[in-house]
Amino acid sequence: MNVNRRTLVLGAAAVPLVSTIRFAGAQTAEFNYKYANNLPLTHPMNVRAQEAMDKIREETSGRVSIQIFPNNQLGADTDMLSQVRSGGVEFFTLSPLILSTLVAKASISGIGFAFPSYDEVWPAMDGDLGAFVRGEIEKSNLVVLDKIWDNGFRQITSSTGAIESAEDLKGFKIRVPVSPLWTSMFTAFESAPASINFAEVYSSLQTGIVDGQENPLAIISTAKLFEVQKFLSMTNHMWDGFWFLANKRAWEAMPEDVREIVAGHVNEAAVNERADVAELNATLRGELESNGMAINEPDTASFRQKLADAGFYGEWKGNYGEDAWAILEKAVGTKLG
Ligand code: X2X
């Protein structure tokens, strides 16, 4: 955790995204809740979440007021996960892989090269695989809403050179999010992975603590990582999303009919956000190139082979168990490893 940055942000009183002026009732709302996340204001996740929160306030006649704190204003992911558990924040969106530090099997949707395309992602996450993971999350005393939000297929960026094959990942100093699956994957590639929260990614790249990172195009663009990275390699090495989590006590404090309104609008926003991110994926390459990035499309065969040879798939099959692995393989339509 970068103490300076945090102190600075909190010192500036962490200005919420939502203006409370429009609904003078916000102060007197029955449920005054906070939704924290790690993404810039301009990312579709925050744009769609804002729409949902506006609709929720309207439809509950001001009884529910949810303020959005984007961009790690309330802390890095690891801190925010503690906060949503304790009730310091009521809502939080988190990658299934980072959530696996609390709910071990939650990361299963992020296995390298498991999903060939979005055509398999949404039926899986809205179907059996998602239901399996949500069941695991609920055991941990957190509430999770039905629809997972999209982060996207992840691509590798670098300041030192294009990644053309698995060979180029050897010894590569790459930032990965804080999650055993991410570390395991890049260890299998023989890279030098460093676990760093997203809050510190831009500065780690800028100061050269790491040479690269991996994220979907929508994040590379909205977090302006092109300012500190030159090469973008379209590895599509895994799909990632964001589960919309709620503190259980705060969730259950709302009456059933109010909960339904909240869940309905948040889930609707998730589905809209998926479409926004898909559109960005299709249009952002030109923008990133005009911002100076050199883009290449490596053949992914060597990456998959490397993971298989390193025993990556066998190890994770063992971690999740036969039953969970069978749900994954059915969802992605192929044997893995
Ligand atoms: O930390 C990341 O790289 C991010 C923003 O993609 C996640 O939340 C996993």
Side-chain angles (χ1 to χ4, degrees):
M1 179 74 227
N2 181 330
V3 174
N4 287 338
R5 179 189 162 129
R6 192 181 190 195
T7 317
L8 244 170
V9 167
L10 294 178
V15 183
L17 170 55
V18 180
S19 155
T20 52
I21 295 165
R22 199 164 7 133
F23 285 85
Q27 247 63 29
T28 55
E30 202 176 327
F31 304 99
N32 242 314
Y33 284 174
K34 295 188 274 298
Y35 159 42
N37 68 68
N38 65 358
L39 293 186
L41 256 181
T42 48
H43 189 282
M45 190 171 84
N46 277 313
V47 176
R48 292 297 183 177
Q50 183 59 73
E51 282 178 12
M53 300 324 170
D54 288 345
K55 288 182 188 165
I56 289 166
R57 202 167 3 191
E58 259 174 60
E59 207 180 322
T60 61
S61 310
R63 280 177 83 190
V64 180
S65 170
I66 305 172
Q67 297 187 330
I68 305 179
F69 293 81
N71 223 9
N72 297 293
Q73 280 184 6
L74 298 185
D77 279 334
T78 315
D79 307 315
M80 290 193 286
L81 178 58
S82 308
Q83 290 186 43
V84 77
R85 295 180 70 194
S86 68
V89 301
E90 289 80 11
F91 298 105
F92 174 43
T93 33
L94 186 62
S95 160
L97 281 82
I98 304 177
L99 182 56
S100 78
T101 57
L102 174 68
V103 179
K105 295 185 181 180
S107 61
I108 190 164
S109 55
I111 286 291
F113 299 102
F115 287 108
S117 75
Y118 279 117
D119 293 344
E120 292 77 25
V121 170
W122 303 126
M125 300 314 289
D126 292 337
D128 290 348
L129 187 66
F132 165 73
V133 172
R134 288 193 301 278
E136 293 291 307
I137 296 172
E138 274 154 17
K139 288 185 205 160
S140 78
N141 233 22
L142 280 171
V143 171
V144 56
L145 297 197
D146 283 347
K147 297 284 182 189
I148 193 166
W149 297 54
D150 193 22
N151 188 350
F153 281 87
R154 299 181 75 97
Q155 322 295 352
I156 299 177
T157 66
S158 165
S159 58
T160 51
I163 305 297
E164 307 272 12
S165 72
E167 193 59 27
D168 294 332
L169 287 175
K170 269 195 190 160
F172 184 52
K173 284 201 290 184
I174 183 170
R175 170 272 173 172
V176 293
V178 182
S179 163
L181 180 57
W182 252 303
T183 305
S184 159
M185 183 174 179
F186 282 89
T187 302
F189 286 133
E190 296 179 71
S191 306
S195 301
I196 297 174
N197 274 305
F198 191 66
E200 311 302 334
V201 166
Y202 188 99
S203 62
S204 314
L205 294 167
Q206 194 174 35
T207 56
I209 289 172
V210 287
D211 291 328
Q213 64 86 47
E214 42 82 67
N215 250 304
L217 299 188
I219 287 184
I220 297 169
S221 164
T222 55
K224 300 196 190 309
L225 299 184
F226 54 79
E227 292 176 352
V228 286
Q229 295 279 272
K230 169 78 186 155
F231 301 94
L232 167 56
S233 303
M234 301 293 292
T235 48
N236 287 299
H237 55 275
M238 68 200 283
W239 172 80
D240 191 26
F242 293 102
W243 286 115
F244 203 98
L245 305 170
N247 173 270
K248 194 167 187 174
R249 230 175 319 116
W251 182 255
E252 290 179 352
M254 295 187 292
E256 184 66 41
D257 59 326
V258 172
R259 278 185 235 167
E260 259 168 41
I261 294 172
V262 174
H265 286 300
V266 171
N267 286 328
E268 181 190 31
V271 172
N272 290 333
E273 185 259 7
R274 293 174 183 179
D276 296 343
V277 173
E279 184 167 342
L280 283 180
N281 285 339
T283 56
L284 276 178
R285 288 180 56 154
E287 186 210 292
L288 292 169
E289 273 168 344
S290 67
N291 279 306
M293 294 200 96
I295 304 181
N296 69 301
E297 288 197 27
D299 177 356
T300 57
S302 72
F303 299 92
R304 294 159 190 263
Q305 193 59 49
K306 180 84 189 178
L307 290 181
D309 291 349
F312 172 81
Y313 294 103
E315 181 188 334
W316 285 93
K317 181 178 181 177
N319 292 343
Y320 298 125
E322 297 277 345
D323 293 352
W325 197 257
I327 299 173
L328 175 65
E329 286 189 332
K330 187 161 172 242
V332 301
T334 159
K335 289 268 169 213
L336 294 168

